């Protein structure tokens, strides 16, 4: 299958009106310096930010002065240059080079800038200059976001685009530092409402949400990676000091966004599918203690199930966000799902194969060491427990260090045990497992992470794909392998690989062309869980 090379760039290049300091009058009135001319600079340059691209300019300078008698300064100007900041200080141009030839890594917000070369005589300071326009764009709006733990134990994001471009440490590049704490979760958000502080208007955007174990939540619009929500402004009221955020994502229930924290589930009319709002959340609509282990059944009107990390219980919820203990259809089984004091959740996934919907939880009993597979089934009326299976102690599924659920093409629970990849067939009834052997991974690399990421639209644009993504780790470096699949198994050599620094926690795909019709009519378009 051909790679989709038609990814969208950011929705707008935020072209700035460059005035005032951008006037191009290079006359100095001094005959000596007028003998100096600058050429070899193009009228405009277009670069992509945060992916390691460099602005390289090698001008030709002709002068009666020798190079040793000249000083060179490269300046970067935008539409704020020359204006006063909030403290009343005049904003000066940024110096980006001090040699005749420029080699500058482009790590700038999208927009249009002027780049100016000042060529000055060393003996008297008289100068001439030449200018060019730099247009900066980003690739944030579509691709595979990679949540990772950095070498110093904090949280950042990398990005891999469908055409193979790679950006690293995006949060640190934009903000100057990574998020504090180890990564907890990464979720895509489509059509999220927020107040654009550039114009104080309510707008809608696609975004990604990152949470960390230091109770950090950070929501960034993917057009330019600007932060739009944080712990300080995502709710109308302040979050409790002990409240741990876990996730935000779009639910088909009335087109609302939902947020899960340790205090419960919040919902608000905060997407473009609902009434216009600031996108902020009010009070929790349930007393359920949240976690990052939940799923949304889009096929069945947004019902789902969640691991309540506070009460150590599995809860079901319907499209009205009404919570109840997860039980079998005949309302039995509460003792298997509630108040599991010694249990912790290791995985939650969702499978929508051939029109059926299955939720999957893997729970670990810290007292006995046993692991259990909980399978759920959904309908318009809600979610019920369908099976509880104790995984055999000699199975790879019972010892796995990482899990993922196949979303749309097989009844597989992917498991990593001993650096190898296995598929547990969750609907076989006989605990069957099969080893999967992805091609092209060197023998000295150890598989540490797996996820099934797909784009499965009915109405939304974009070429469909169904990738199995595995990560290997060597020291502080990771490598991701993207495989096409057949019946849930990887086939052939990887269609794409990428490397980066840090430890992979999650991979999520986001597409800037998501169509709300897919949400309204219950299509399982993309995966939000591993």
């Amino acid at each position: 299958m051909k790679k989709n090379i038609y990814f969208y760039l950011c929705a707008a290049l935020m072209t700035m009106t460059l005035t005032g300091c951008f006037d191009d009058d290079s006359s100095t009135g001094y005959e000596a310096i007028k003998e100096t001319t600058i050429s070899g600079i193009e009228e405009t340059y277009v670069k992509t930010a945060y992916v390691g691209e460099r602005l390289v300019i090698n001008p030709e300078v002709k002068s009666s002065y020798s190079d040793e008698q000249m000083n060179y300064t490269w300046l970067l100007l935008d539409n704020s240059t020359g204006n006063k900041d909030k403290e009343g200080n005049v904003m000066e141009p940024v110096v980006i080079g001090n040699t005749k030839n420029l080699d500058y890594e482009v790590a700038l917000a999208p927009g249009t800038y002027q780049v100016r070369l000042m060529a000055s005589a060393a003996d008297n300071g008289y100068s001439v200059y030449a200018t060019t326009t730099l247009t900066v764009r980003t690739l944030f709006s579509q691709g595979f976001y990679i949540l990772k733990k950095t070498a110093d134990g904090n949280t950042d994001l990398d990005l891999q685009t469908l055409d193979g471009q790679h950006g690293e440490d995006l949060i640190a590049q934009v903000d100057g530092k990574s998020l504090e704490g180890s990564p907890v979760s990464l979720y895509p958000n489509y059509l999220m409402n927020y107040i654009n502080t550039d114009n104080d208007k309510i707008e809608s955007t696609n975004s990604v949400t990152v949470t960390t174990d230091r109770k950090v939540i950070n929501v960034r619009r993917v057009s330019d990676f600007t932060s739009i929500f944080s712990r300080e402004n995502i709710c109308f009221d302040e979050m409790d000091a002990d409240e741990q955020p876990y996730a935000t994502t779009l639910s088909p229930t009335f087109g609302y966004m939902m947020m899960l924290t340790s205090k419960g589930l919040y919902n608000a009319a905060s997407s473009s599918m609902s009434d216009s709002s600031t996108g902020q959340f009010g009070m929790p609509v349930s007393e359920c203690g949240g976690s990052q282990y939940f799923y949304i059944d889009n096929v069945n009107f947004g019902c789902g199930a969640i691991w309540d990390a506070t009460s150590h219980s599995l809860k079901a919820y319907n499209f009205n966000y009404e919570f109840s203990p997860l039980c079998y259809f005949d309302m039995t089984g509460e003792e298997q799902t509630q108040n599991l004091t010694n249990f912790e959740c290791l995985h939650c996934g969702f499978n929508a194969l051939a029109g059926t919907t299955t939720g999957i939880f893997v729970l670990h009993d810290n007292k006995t060491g046993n692991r259990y597979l909980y399978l759920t089934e959904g309908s318009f009326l809600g979610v019920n427990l369908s099976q509880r299976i104790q995984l055999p102690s000699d199975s790879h599924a019972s010892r796995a260090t990482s899990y993922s659920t196949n979303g749309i093409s097989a009844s597989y629970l992917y498991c990593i045990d001993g650096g190898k990849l296995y598929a547990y067939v969750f609907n076989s009834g006989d605990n069957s497992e099969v080893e999967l052997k992805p091609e092209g991974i060197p023998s000295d690399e150890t598989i540490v992470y797996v996820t099934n990421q797909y784009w499965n639209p009915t109405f939304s644009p974009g070429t469909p794909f169904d990738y199995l993504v595995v990560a290997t780790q060597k020291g502080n470096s990771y490598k991701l392998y993207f495989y096409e699949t057949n019946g849930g198994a990887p086939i052939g050599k990887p269609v794409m690989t990428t490397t980066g620094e840090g430890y992979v926690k999650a991979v999520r795909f986001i597409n800037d062309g998501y169509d709300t019709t897919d949400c309204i009519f219950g299509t399982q378009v993309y995966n939000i869980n591993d």
Side-chain angles (χ1 to χ4, degrees), residues 155-157 169-179 220 225:
T155 296
D156 218 309
L157 288 174
D169 300 316
L170 303 179
I171 296 173
Q173 288 201 64
V174 174
D175 291 358
K177 62 179 181 179
S178 301
L179 297 180
R220 292 175 178 269
F225 219 54

Side-chain angles (χ1 to χ4, degrees), residues 313-371:
S313 301
L314 287 168
K315 302 286 183 66
Y317 61 90
N318 61 21
F319 63 87
N320 283 322
Y321 300 117
E322 296 168 332
F323 281 76
S324 60
L326 180 64
C327 296
Y328 294 104
F329 189 77
D330 62 3
M331 302 308 294
T332 63
E334 277 197 42
E335 72 283 356
Q336 297 180 354
T337 64
Q338 304 302 297
N339 302 312
L340 305 176
T341 306
N342 300 313
F343 283 58
E344 63 177 320
C345 188
L346 302 180
H347 168 70
C348 174
F350 182 72
N351 177 273
L353 177 63
T356 62
T357 60
T358 304
I360 296 177
F361 292 89
V362 178
L363 300 187
H364 179 79
D365 186 339
N366 290 315
K367 186 175 182 179
T368 66
N370 295 328
R371 291 188 184 179

Side-chain angles (χ1 to χ4, degrees), residues 64-365:
S64 59
Y65 295 100
S66 66
D67 273 349
E68 291 73 20
Q69 295 174 307
M70 298 289 292
N71 293 327
Y72 298 98
T73 304
W74 291 88
L75 300 174
L76 182 73
L77 303 85
D78 63 17
N79 66 338
S80 66
T81 305
N83 297 325
K84 291 184 179 182
D85 61 19
K86 293 180 180 179
E87 286 72 38
N89 301 312
V90 176
M91 289 177 278
E92 301 290 340
V94 177
V95 177
I96 60 174
N98 290 109
T99 59
K100 183 172 73 171
N101 296 328
L102 177 66
D103 186 354
Y104 172 68
E105 182 175 352
V106 179
L108 300 168
T112 302
Y113 300 81
Q114 186 189 90
V115 176
R116 179 178 298 185
L117 170 60
M118 305 288 296
S120 306
D123 59 354
N124 55 29
Y126 297 153
S127 302
V128 295
Y129 66 83
T131 64
T132 183
T133 298
L134 171 63
T135 298
V136 179
R137 60 191 183 187
T138 66
L139 300 179
F140 297 137
S141 58
Q142 181 165 287
F144 298 91
Y145 278 88
I146 304 161
L147 178 67
K148 67 180 186 179
K149 183 170 73 172
T150 62
D152 58 2
N154 289 315
T155 296
D156 218 309
L157 288 174
D158 293 350
L159 175 66
Q160 182 71 16
T161 67
L162 284 167
D163 73 337
Q165 296 196 63
H166 185 76
E168 288 200 55
D169 300 316
L170 303 179
I171 296 173
Q173 288 201 64
V174 174
D175 291 358
K177 62 179 181 179
S178 301
L179 297 180
E180 184 179 1
S182 295
V184 171
S185 66
L186 169 65
Y187 285 89
N189 309 300
Y190 288 103
L191 316 173
M192 192 175 205
N193 280 348
Y194 73 106
I195 295 179
N196 187 338
T197 56
D198 294 333
N199 54 24
D200 291 328
K201 293 183 178 180
I202 294 175
E203 296 181 356
S204 178
T205 187
N206 297 335
S207 62
V208 290
T209 295
V210 177
T211 65
T212 81
D213 65 358
R214 296 298 296 271
K215 301 181 176 61
V216 171
I217 183 168
N218 184 224
V219 184
R220 292 175 178 269
R221 66 187 184 201
V222 296
S223 59
D224 60 2
F225 219 54
T226 295
S227 179
I228 58 173
F229 288 116
S230 66
R231 186 181 181 88
E232 286 67 38
N233 70 341
I234 199 167
C235 295
F236 289 109
D237 297 320
E238 290 187 12
M239 280 189 173
D240 294 340
D242 63 343
E243 190 168 2
Q244 170 67 56
Y246 290 115
T248 65
T249 196
L250 177 67
S251 169
T253 303
F254 311 118
Y256 287 179
M257 300 298 298
M258 58 184 286
M259 178 173 70
L260 285 161
T261 77
S262 56
K263 302 295 184 179
L265 184 147
Y266 296 70
N267 74 310
S270 55
S271 85
S272 63
M273 295 174 62
S274 56
D275 295 335
S276 180
S277 79
T278 64
Q280 294 170 290
F281 293 93
M283 298 295 292
V285 297
S286 76
E287 297 301 322
C288 174
S291 75
Q292 69 270 38
Y293 299 109
F294 71 98
Y295 71 81
I296 300 172
D297 188 340
N298 283 341
V299 178
N300 289 299
F301 303 96
C303 61
I306 185 172
W307 169 251
D308 182 339
T310 301
S311 66
H312 293 262
S313 301
L314 287 168
K315 302 286 183 66
Y317 61 90
N318 61 21
F319 63 87
N320 283 322
Y321 300 117
E322 296 168 332
F323 281 76
S324 60
L326 180 64
C327 296
Y328 294 104
F329 189 77
D330 62 3
M331 302 308 294
T332 63
E334 277 197 42
E335 72 283 356
Q336 297 180 354
T337 64
Q338 304 302 297
N339 302 312
L340 305 176
T341 306
N342 300 313
F343 283 58
E344 63 177 320
C345 188
L346 302 180
H347 168 70
C348 174
F350 182 72
N351 177 273
L353 177 63
T356 62
T357 60
T358 304
I360 296 177
F361 292 89
V362 178
L363 300 187
H364 179 79
D365 186 339

